[in-house]
Amino acid sequence: FAAAVLGFTGLVPMDDHRRAPAIVLAGERAELAIQTDGFVKSVRVEPGQYVNKGDVLIEAENPFLESRKTETEAELARPGIPPRQAVAEDPPSVKQIRSRIEALEDTHAELINRLSQLTLRSPVSGTLVTPDMSRLQGQFLKRGEVIGSIENQDKLHVSAFVGQSDSAAVVGHVASAEVRTAGRLGTVLETHVTWVAPIGRTELPHQAIGYAGGGPIATKTDDPEGLQAQLARGDAGQVLA
């Protein structure tokens, strides 16, 4: 994401400019997390690299699961259903054997599925956003541990927080806005307003806009997430996206 400043245009008089802090996010974003505990044995990508949906990002291994799979396969390779004569003489015994084989087959299928999840593939097409992934080589990753994200930056989403003093002049009167990102104020991005939150909302669209994230909007000291704006009595805000 990136911090930004919005300058609203539309039905507002040309000499009347309004600014509001905003956050720029990728239109599509997916977090990356391996789905089975394992040790990373191969890293296939680098930060900032563009990947396609389904591309292999990381390969990991789990010796314990591999060992269980081998043991299960050895059990399944043993002689199974006894000869027809034995079946006729002792049906309960055959039923037990069949149940045992079915249980082993279910276990084997589950182990194969878990081992397949040690290969992390990109869930969407986009740019890899993460620290240097080579540092993960040989490390143990827990199931669900987020190691980065994939962002599709072809279409960006911008959310702004407009104070009460400006909301009356902006809300309902503008259809577009100019976006200037921090560090690149000379570059103007054209946007279109697609959604306006109900008036009186005090929740910020992102932590980066508030004090907790280095933004200009004061936030409540008792809000650990840094999303509740600390406004003056009677004041309120408006969120535009």
Side-chain angles (χ1 to χ4, degrees):
F1 65 86
V5 175
L6 261 65
F8 295 100
T9 61
L11 300 181
V12 178
M14 290 302 293
D15 59 349
D16 187 3
H17 300 279
R18 308 294 172 125
R19 294 186 177 183
I23 187 73
V24 181
L25 299 171
E28 185 178 22
R29 181 176 184 274
E31 291 187 333
L32 301 175
I34 203 165
Q35 296 304 309
T36 297
D37 295 352
F39 295 92
V40 177
K41 67 175 183 179
S42 175
V43 177
R44 301 286 193 87
V45 290
E46 298 178 353
Q49 180 177 333
Y50 185 88
V51 296
N52 294 308
K53 181 178 180 179
D55 284 354
V56 175
L57 310 178
I58 284 180
E59 291 181 312
E61 58 186 354
N62 186 314
F64 174 72
L65 293 181
E66 287 286 359
S67 177
R68 284 192 60 194
K69 176 174 172 289
T70 300
E71 292 172 359
T72 303
E73 290 172 342
E75 286 285 332
L76 287 171
R78 294 179 180 178
I81 303 300
R84 183 177 301 178
Q85 181 180 355
V87 173
E89 295 177 354
D90 191 7
S93 176
V94 175
K95 185 176 181 180
Q96 291 179 354
I97 293 174
R98 283 177 173 164
S99 296
R100 172 62 177 165
I101 291 175
E102 289 175 358
L104 286 170
E105 289 174 341
D106 289 343
T107 298
H108 186 252
E110 175 62 20
L111 288 169
I112 290 177
N113 179 57
R114 292 181 64 185
L115 286 168
S116 71
Q117 293 175 341
L118 288 168
T119 298
L120 178 61
R121 298 179 180 274
S122 179
V124 297
S125 296
T127 302
L128 179 63
V129 180
T130 180
D132 185 6
M133 294 184 71
S134 63
R135 63 184 173 82
L136 298 176
Q137 189 76 38
Q139 288 193 19
F140 179 78
L141 295 180
K142 293 183 178 180
R143 176 185 178 184
E145 181 179 347
V146 177
I147 59 174
S149 64
I150 299 292
E151 297 185 356
N152 186 337
Q153 300 177 351
D154 293 338
K155 186 176 182 180
L156 301 177
H157 179 84
V158 183
S159 294
F161 187 82
V162 181
Q164 185 180 33
S165 59
D166 291 326
S167 61
V170 172
V171 177
H173 300 290
V174 298
S176 61
E178 294 181 348
V179 179
R180 299 175 185 269
T181 58
R184 298 180 60 186
L185 296 179
T187 301
V188 178
L189 304 177
E190 297 292 339
T191 67
H192 298 281
V193 177
T194 59
W195 177 78
V196 179
I199 193 167
R201 177 171 174 167
T202 60
E203 182 179 350
L204 302 178
H206 197 280
Q207 290 176 327
I209 295 179
Y211 279 2
I217 304 297
T219 52
K220 295 182 179 180
T221 57
D222 59 351
D223 174 25
E225 297 183 352
L227 291 173
Q228 295 298 324
Q230 180 67 60
L231 303 176
R233 183 180 298 275
D235 198 0
Q238 195 90 25
V239 175
L240 280 75

